[in-house]
């Protein structure tokens, strides 16, 4: 790999990290807003949407781990946790809708 390729790769990594941190910040703010809205409106749909934002935070964390070059075993474990999170969200929404 040439120094130009390495420089471009580093610039792309910085951009990726910046985008993921912006996504994390957006989702944290979203959870707070949705929690207040869900409680005041007593809305299951808003609570489910807030839980979805929580899962998205986990997914963004996985992307940050991937960009930082961590091992595959850790990534697989995190992806399984995200899958379990989505499954639990589906069960929650199913129970609440019935």
């Amino acid at each position: 790999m040439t120094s130009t390729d390495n420089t471009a790769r580093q610039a792309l990594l910085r951009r990726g990290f910046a985008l993921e941190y912006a996504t994390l910040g957006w989702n944290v703010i979203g959870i707070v807003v949705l929690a207040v809205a869900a409680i005041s409106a007593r809305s299951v749909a808003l609570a489910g949407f807030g839980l979805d934002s929580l899962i998205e935070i986990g997914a963004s964390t996985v992307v940050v781990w991937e960009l930082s070059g961590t091992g595959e075993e850790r990534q697989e474990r995190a992806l399984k946790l995200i899958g379990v999170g989505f499954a639990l969200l589906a069960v929650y929404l199913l129970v609440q809708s019935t």
Side-chain angles (χ1 to χ4, degrees):
M1 187 178 329
T2 66
S3 65
T4 305
D5 291 339
N6 193 32
T7 304
R9 184 178 189 284
Q10 292 300 319
L12 289 172
L13 276 174
R14 281 192 304 276
R15 184 181 299 166
F17 278 117
L19 289 171
E20 281 307 315
Y21 289 131
T23 300
L24 283 167
W26 178 262
N27 283 324
V28 167
I29 292 168
I31 284 176
V32 172
V33 170
L34 285 167
V36 170
I39 290 169
S40 66
R42 296 182 185 194
S43 171
V44 174
L46 285 173
F49 194 60
L51 290 173
D52 179 60
S53 293
L54 186 63
I55 294 168
E56 289 176 17
I57 287 174
S60 290
T61 304
V62 170
V63 173
V64 169
W65 283 348
E66 201 168 320
L67 289 175
S68 63
T70 58
E72 279 187 39
E73 182 181 319
R74 187 174 180 184
Q75 291 174 10
E76 288 177 21
R77 187 177 339 129
L79 289 173
K80 287 178 185 176
L81 288 172
I82 291 170
V84 168
F86 276 117
L88 291 173
L89 174 61
V91 169
Y92 169 77
L93 292 174
L94 180 68
V95 168
Q96 290 297 324
S97 67
T98 54

